Amino acid sequence: MILRGLAICVAVWGGIAEANAPATSLRPVAREDVFPVALPTFAPLASLRPIVRPKGLLGVAPSIAPPIPPINETTSASLLAPRSSLRPMVRPTGQRFVRKTKSAPLVASRRETLPRKKGVGKMCRDRDLQGEYVGRVPAKLTGCGARDAIKLHSVAGVALSTPAVMECDTARALKSWIKDGVDPAVRRYGGGVVKLKVAAGYSCRTRNSKKGAKISEHGKGRAIDISGFVLKDGSTISVLNDWGKGKPGRILKDVHTAACGPFGTVLGPNADRYHRDHFHFDVARYRSGSYCR
């Protein structure tokens, strides 16, 4: 009896539900059935994007880009692309531009290697050696030439009567000779030495200019010839005129001897007739040490 009652109730409820069912489905309509959708009436008629101005044009009134066409499934992608690229202009390689300010004008940074400063200045990393940088000296004869020469103007405050071309080793030896030999020998005689009288510096030639002889050290930037000294009081000491005579002669003898050490070869009036009027100094070295005559 209980089971039969339950069956009757189920049948009654099923009939009521079928009678109240809706006549159509409430499923949403497919989106393609209502496309395209009209834009709202408050949408702007033209794009508000500013047009990219060419660089450097100031004071030009802004313009409005043309209207964007209605967006739908058939709109071409090319119509939606920007009218000009926003990428920055490619700058030339090797330069970096600095923004102009009140304290610094618009300039390009210098990355290229600047040439050596011209004019008289410190040579061979020594403030006592003042001169000009020369660099490579081409050879007119086989065996001549210099790779890194200078034109020396003064040494330890003592001027050269004629700027002499030489290499740094020669210039350093000359400085050592002046400080350790010339200054102690001359002392206060005539007020001291203020200038060296230069007879020769770099010269592409053979020894004593003899045909067929070996290339002189002068042709390699490794030698210098000194013919005398100028003193502070204006007087001079000359190798030709004062060698072996009185006080100036003794000074010349002392400075000749003092050169044996800083220089590898030292020649004077006692060496031969080619050196009776000057001292020859060069930095060539021999197995026996310095050669001094």
Side-chain angles (χ1 to χ4, degrees), residues 257-264 266 285 290 292:
T257 302
C260 299
F263 293 99
V266 178
R285 297 288 177 177
S290 298
C292 300

Side-chain angles (χ1 to χ4, degrees), residues 7-142:
I8 294 173
C9 290
V10 170
V12 173
W13 289 343
I16 295 173
E18 182 177 358
N20 295 332
T24 60
S25 174
L26 297 179
R27 290 181 302 169
V29 178
R31 193 175 293 272
E32 58 267 19
D33 295 339
V34 296
F35 191 83
V37 179
L39 294 174
T41 57
F42 57 84
L45 297 179
S47 171
L48 297 180
R49 294 179 302 161
I51 295 178
V52 178
R53 300 172 182 170
K55 186 177 180 181
L57 294 180
L58 301 176
V60 180
S63 58
I64 303 301
I68 299 178
I71 302 176
N72 54 48
E73 62 182 354
T74 62
T75 301
S76 172
S78 62
L79 295 177
L80 301 179
R83 296 176 61 86
S84 60
S85 172
L86 299 180
R87 292 180 301 171
M89 296 175 62
V90 178
R91 295 170 179 165
T93 58
Q95 291 187 339
R96 178 174 58 84
F97 288 91
V98 181
R99 185 179 298 278
K100 183 177 181 181
T101 63
K102 292 182 178 179
S103 58
L106 183 62
V107 294
S109 65
R110 298 177 294 177
R111 290 187 179 181
E112 67 277 6
T113 303
L114 296 178
R116 287 179 180 266
K117 183 179 180 180
K118 295 182 178 180
V120 178
K122 179 176 69 174
M123 295 288 106
C124 308
R125 300 181 180 180
D126 191 331
R127 294 186 181 277
D128 286 336
L129 303 176
Q130 294 290 311
E132 303 172 66
Y133 181 76
V134 175
R136 181 179 176 274
V137 178
K140 295 181 180 179
L141 298 175
T142 302

